[in-house]
Amino acid sequence: MTSKLMKGLVYASAAFTFGMLGYLVIYILINGVRFLTPSLFSWQYSTSNVSMMPALMTTLMVVAGTLLIATPIGVFTGFYLVDYADRKNPVVRAIGMATDTLAGIPSIIYGLFGMLFFVIFLEFQFSLIAGILTVTIMSLPVIIRATEEALIATGMPIRQASYALGAGKLRTLFKVVLPVAMPGILSGVILATGRIVGETAALMFTLGTATNLPGSLFASGRTLSLHMYILSQEGRHVNEAYATAVVLLIFVLVINALSTLVSKRLAGGGK
Amino acid sequence: MEHINEGAAGKTKRRPPVRKTAKTDWKEKIMHGVFFMAAFTSILSLVLIVIFIFTNGLPMMFEYGLTDFIFGTTWNRTTFGLLPMITGSILVTLGAVGLGVPIGVMTAVFMAEFCPKRLYAFLKPAVNLMAGIPSIVYGFFALRIIVPQIRGIFGGPGNSMLAAILLLAIMILPTVISLSEAAIRSVPRSYFSGSMALGASHERSIFSVVVPAAKSGIFSSIVLGVGRAIGETMAVVMVAGNQPLMPRGLTEGVRTLTTNIVMEMAYASGQHRDALVATGVVLFVFIMIINTTFLIMKTKEAK
């Protein structure tokens, strides 16, 4: 009897979860798609067209800039932790713990830190560079963990085979292990991209909220998520906020499709 | 995890590659250094974060009086009593977890045990999609759907603690679902077969044997959900009402630690700004407690 009830609750919960998700997606699409007008994509922002084009471009700039810095650092950290470090070394354990801790810090704390350190202490002002550096620290743990997992999954035999053929450690890592681990690393980078696109709290007080395209690394801008937040807070451009939500949803869908594609390749033997 | 490190670090050090020239040796040495520097970035970042948040927040807390700051109930531009926001954060998080965790865990049970394979092929990406939707979109959705509903049913402004709880309950679902599902799936299948062989029904085997066996994993999913809920900012600020007053009821407005920072940082200066950073210090301490709990659980689970 109780199991029957539990089973009912399980089905109801699943129905609620996926029903809610479906409702959210459909609701945003229905209310947003019709406001995706050409003027929303004009290059120049004005208070009458509230164009999202500068925000869209700024988002891409922030994503590109962040990945450019965070990917090598994150992947190299993974290399170090898996293939070079001696696990008993206290410094190495501290690195692992620091990564875990960074992963759990909420974005508003990153925002506060970015403001205190990059914007005020280093005098970057509200700028692209301050935003990028803040979000870089945020996405590091995601990339590090994905790299670690991917490298560990490649296993020891492939390395030993390479050493046996006379390849050095570095060469083994780059020519033999890395290609096999690539899909796993890539899915981490894609996950990080999703985080960056959706980020608001960490960017508000670092990147700032300027409406136009930042002309240099030291100019302020706003990403799509920030743009949408400001539109919905002002309350006068609700339709445009819906339209921005549609674009954000499309971003998320594309990113998820990419990561599914990559992980399918991963499951398919990691070729 | 261990065997690669042991093997790579231990054995190869003792047995260098056959073709050993001075040139490759240098390259190896330099890259070893580069990799270490990269790895050190994490520690450096964390140390910088702690230093900058604490040196900006702590002096204000002591100048103002630690007890006055933590237990004061009035917050305005000159008086900084944080208790309303601390209480707000705790209540909203408890509400969201109390509502979201049962739904999330049961959805995870569905995904792992009841879901037909063909449906699963759709639902798994759906959970990933849920995890990927920006918090701002959730907040906006709640602002347009949940808030008017609450206004309609209970009267009042609609922007309320209840709205924040419902919103966060939905937002923690993907975290709870994926971790709980992984925990349930990692229970050895023999538990289930054994229970079935003893004559228990399919449902009973799942609810009385498999799910209890996964409880440590499910608990860590809850802890992570708590972390998500207490740290969420932008979605909450859109629906919570944000009055800096002690929580007065489910349908009244509430302000949390995170939203306190976002609401006032734009125009704050001097001691006011330091008080907001100090709010960050308190939030940071909360998060550290939650994270440590999570890490301890994870290590226990691994053993």
Side-chain angles (χ1 to χ4, degrees):
Chain A
M1 189 58 217
T2 39
S3 352
K4 278 267 160 60
L5 181 73
M6 285 299 284
K7 192 177 173 185
L9 283 175
V10 162
Y11 275 84
S13 298
F16 172 82
T17 300
F18 297 108
M20 186 55 90
L21 175 66
Y23 182 35
L24 185 149
V25 171
I26 291 167
Y27 176 81
I28 297 284
L29 289 182
I30 285 180
N31 284 289
V33 168
R34 60 200 158 106
F35 296 110
L36 284 170
T37 54
S39 74
L40 262 186
F41 294 96
S42 67
W43 285 97
Q44 208 55 41
Y45 176 95
S46 71
T47 42
S48 58
N49 71 6
V50 288
S51 166
M52 68 166 94
M53 202 61 189
L56 190 63
M57 287 298 135
T58 309
T59 307
L60 296 179
M61 285 156 89
V62 171
V63 168
T66 305
L67 291 184
L68 218 59
I69 306 172
T71 309
I73 297 180
V75 171
F76 285 176
T77 304
F79 284 175
Y80 184 76
L81 290 177
V82 176
D83 275 74
Y84 282 82
D86 171 11
R87 281 275 156 183
K88 286 172 198 105
N89 187 335
V91 179
V92 175
R93 294 183 56 180
I95 291 170
M97 274 175 64
T99 310
D100 280 341
T101 311
L102 284 179
I105 293 178
S107 51
I108 183 72
I109 300 277
Y110 282 106
L112 266 185
F113 164 72
M115 185 192 78
L116 294 170
F117 184 62
F118 296 121
V119 175
I120 296 173
F121 184 74
L122 296 182
E123 297 182 352
F124 285 171
Q125 312 299 339
F126 285 165
S127 61
L128 202 53
I129 186 77
I132 287 175
L133 290 175
T134 307
V135 183
T136 296
I137 302 177
M138 258 186 86
S139 26
L140 268 184
V142 181
I143 299 175
I144 292 175
R145 278 178 174 174
T147 310
E148 261 190 297
E149 274 173 30
L151 287 179
I152 288 168
T154 53
M156 207 50 210
I158 191 176
R159 291 173 172 78
Q160 284 163 338
S162 173
Y163 296 147
L165 289 172
K169 192 164 176 128
L170 204 57
R171 192 157 174 196
T172 303
L173 193 53
F174 275 99
K175 299 267 170 172
V176 180
V177 178
L178 188 61
V180 180
M182 206 43 140
I185 296 174
L186 222 60
S187 72
V189 172
I190 295 170
L191 195 65
T193 307
R195 285 275 183 81
I196 302 163
V197 170
E199 189 46 57
T200 326
L203 288 172
M204 199 157 165
F205 304 116
T206 53
L207 177 66
T209 53
T211 50
N212 274 320
L213 203 60
S216 77
L217 272 179
F218 291 94
S220 170
R222 56 164 74 163
T223 61
L224 269 186
S225 296
L226 264 174
H227 181 64
M228 182 177 165
Y229 172 70
I230 292 157
L231 286 185
S232 53
Q233 284 303 88
E234 283 170 351
R236 283 186 299 128
H237 298 290
V238 173
N239 297 339
E240 287 81 358
Y242 277 117
T244 315
V246 171
V247 176
L248 279 172
L249 271 185
I250 292 171
F251 255 107
V252 176
L253 282 171
V254 170
I255 288 166
N256 275 33
L258 271 180
S259 102
T260 314
L261 215 71
V262 167
S263 57
K264 269 211 182 113
R265 246 188 101 178
L266 185 70
K271 266 179 266 175
Chain B
M1 186 144 186
E2 294 298 319
H3 71 280
I4 289 180
N5 301 309
E6 302 288 314
K11 276 177 200 158
T12 50
K13 237 182 239 165
R14 265 173 271 131
R15 267 189 292 151
V18 182
R19 197 170 58 88
K20 192 184 163 197
T21 61
K23 192 182 151 212
T24 47
D25 227 2
W26 268 114
K27 225 170 155 189
E28 299 271 352
K29 278 229 170 77
I30 292 170
M31 286 316 276
H32 191 139
V34 170
F35 293 159
F36 178 75
M37 296 273 282
F40 204 72
T41 313
S42 290
I43 295 189
L44 186 72
S45 306
L46 184 62
V47 168
L48 278 177
I49 291 174
V50 171
I51 288 176
F52 271 82
I53 300 280
F54 279 73
T55 54
N56 280 280
L58 278 183
M60 178 273 160
M61 287 167 86
F62 289 113
E63 254 168 53
Y64 189 81
L66 198 57
T67 41
D68 286 343
F69 182 71
I70 302 279
F71 297 108
T73 54
T74 312
W75 180 281
N76 55 45
R77 283 183 196 202
T78 48
T79 319
F80 308 110
L82 201 60
L83 196 62
M85 278 60 92
I86 296 176
T87 325
S89 267
I90 292 175
L91 288 180
V92 167
T93 304
L94 283 181
V97 169
L99 208 62
V101 163
I103 297 176
V105 171
M106 290 211 241
T107 306
V109 173
F110 176 80
M111 300 277 288
E113 301 289 350
F114 292 102
C115 181
K117 256 203 178 122
R118 281 165 78 185
L119 188 59
Y120 187 79
F122 289 99
L123 294 190
K124 187 66 192 168
V127 174
N128 291 339
L129 174 66
M130 247 186 135
I133 292 177
S135 50
I136 195 79
V137 175
Y138 279 110
F140 187 65
F141 174 73
L143 181 69
R144 309 299 301 179
I145 297 292
I146 297 177
V147 167
Q149 287 290 337
I150 292 174
R151 194 186 300 136
I153 297 169
F154 301 103
N159 288 314
S160 58
M161 185 148 87
L162 183 60
I165 288 175
L166 292 174
L167 164 71
L168 285 174
I170 296 172
M171 288 184 70
I172 63 170
L173 280 179
T175 309
V176 176
I177 293 173
S178 0
L179 266 89
S180 297
E181 193 201 331
I184 294 168
R185 282 191 189 276
S186 69
V187 173
R189 213 54 201 157
S190 54
Y191 285 38
F192 178 76
S193 338
S195 169
M196 291 292 274
L198 288 172
S201 66
H202 179 243
E203 286 88 9
R204 182 134 188 233
S205 301
I206 290 167
F207 294 121
S208 312
V209 178
V210 178
V211 173
K215 72 169 182 284
S216 74
I218 293 176
F219 269 124
S220 45
S221 87
I222 296 173
V223 176
L224 220 58
V226 170
R228 281 281 152 79
I230 206 165
E232 180 49 49
T233 314
M234 301 316 274
V236 176
V237 81
M238 294 172 87
V239 301
N242 305 314
Q243 297 88 337
L245 303 166
M246 286 302 277
R248 293 147 295 163
L250 273 177
T251 54
E252 301 286 338
V254 71
R255 185 185 284 199
T256 64
L257 290 168
T258 53
T259 53
N260 192 39
I261 303 171
V262 166
M263 288 295 292
E264 300 185 1
M265 194 44 110
Y267 57 84
S269 62
Q271 198 187 27
H272 184 195
R273 201 196 72 192
D274 292 343
L276 296 177
V277 180
T279 309
V281 171
V282 175
L283 178 64
F284 198 96
V285 171
F286 268 102
I287 290 287
M288 289 316 285
I289 294 171
I290 294 164
N291 280 1
T292 315
T293 319
F294 176 71
L295 286 182
I296 290 171
M297 279 176 146
K298 219 169 75 173
T299 349
K300 260 192 189 160
E301 207 180 324
K303 277 174 191 163

